[in-house]
Amino acid sequence: MKQYSFLVFLFLLFTSCNKGLSFENETFEKKSTIPCKIDCPQITIDIPIAKNIPVVADSINKKLFLVIKEIVYFGEEPLKLNDYNTLATSFIASYEEMHEKFPNETFGWEGKIKGNIEFESDQIINIKLDHYTFTGGAHGYQGYRSLLFNPKTGKTIFNDQIFKNEKEFKAFAEKEFRKKYKIPSKSNINATGLMFENDKFHLPQNIFYTEEGLLLYYNSYEAASYADGPKEILFPYDEVSRYLKYK
């Protein structure tokens, strides 16, 4: 009987130690207590939380939190925020402070962040954040953020680190981008109304690994006006694998 119990113990120990990195979505919500009838201020954060491998998970979770804080924190002074509940509370508090100062001019604020694992392999993990914020003005702002991680260490992989030769990929991408958006090869990249900084093509701030291929995604204002919307181009992996360090 003792031997059986010992074997069960070893089995449980073995299986617990062999749990790989995993993610579980958690949701954090906060609403204003100020009475309202329509457009009631609220924020919802639904994001994947890394688990099972403490050092790796902690690195991923900390980076994810910092990026979301950057998106939704509207306080005038830097504030030490360590968890999503406090972050959501600070968003609503900023609204209520504004409402107190300008009760007849403050429209209902809104924040929505939805995160998911866009791509996962033994070389790279891609978390996609779909975010929308409205804090007054003519319209809110919706965009996507791409976060790339090394699944073995949890460290961030930056865009310039995913290419064997970024300059070569950039030249290839510009050629294909011009084809898609019908920009003559010898014309300025902004010749048809785009808004690339310094009139030069550049890779986007957000590059996604997807099941279909590598996606270059330019949020509004990054390469075009808000009215023209985001721009994107998808490259099947068989077309770009020669440029990539991670697959």
Side-chain angles (χ1 to χ4, degrees), residues 106-117:
T106 310
F107 296 96
W109 286 19
E110 183 179 10
K112 287 183 179 179
I113 296 181
K114 172 66 177 177
N116 68 278
I117 307 301

Side-chain angles (χ1 to χ4, degrees), residues 69-155:
K69 177 182 174 181
E70 179 184 299
I71 294 171
V72 304
Y73 178 61
F74 289 92
E76 295 181 359
E77 299 180 1
L79 184 65
K80 290 185 178 180
L81 297 170
N82 299 314
D83 63 83
Y84 288 104
N85 285 316
T86 306
L87 181 59
T89 298
S90 75
F91 180 86
I92 297 300
S94 294
Y95 162 79
E96 292 180 344
E97 181 180 347
M98 188 68 69
H99 180 78
E100 185 177 350
K101 293 179 180 177
F102 309 102
N104 298 320
E105 300 178 18
T106 310
F107 296 96
W109 286 19
E110 183 179 10
K112 287 183 179 179
I113 296 181
K114 172 66 177 177
N116 68 278
I117 307 301
E118 184 74 4
F119 184 88
E120 186 172 9
S121 73
D122 60 354
Q123 296 184 348
I124 197 164
I125 293 173
N126 192 179
I127 296 179
K128 177 181 180 181
L129 295 179
D130 181 352
H131 61 91
Y132 172 82
T133 52
F134 176 78
T135 56
H139 53 74
Y141 180 78
Q142 190 275 333
Y144 294 129
R145 290 287 294 269
S146 174
L147 300 177
L148 301 170
F149 298 99
N150 183 321
K152 297 180 177 65
T153 65
K155 292 183 177 181

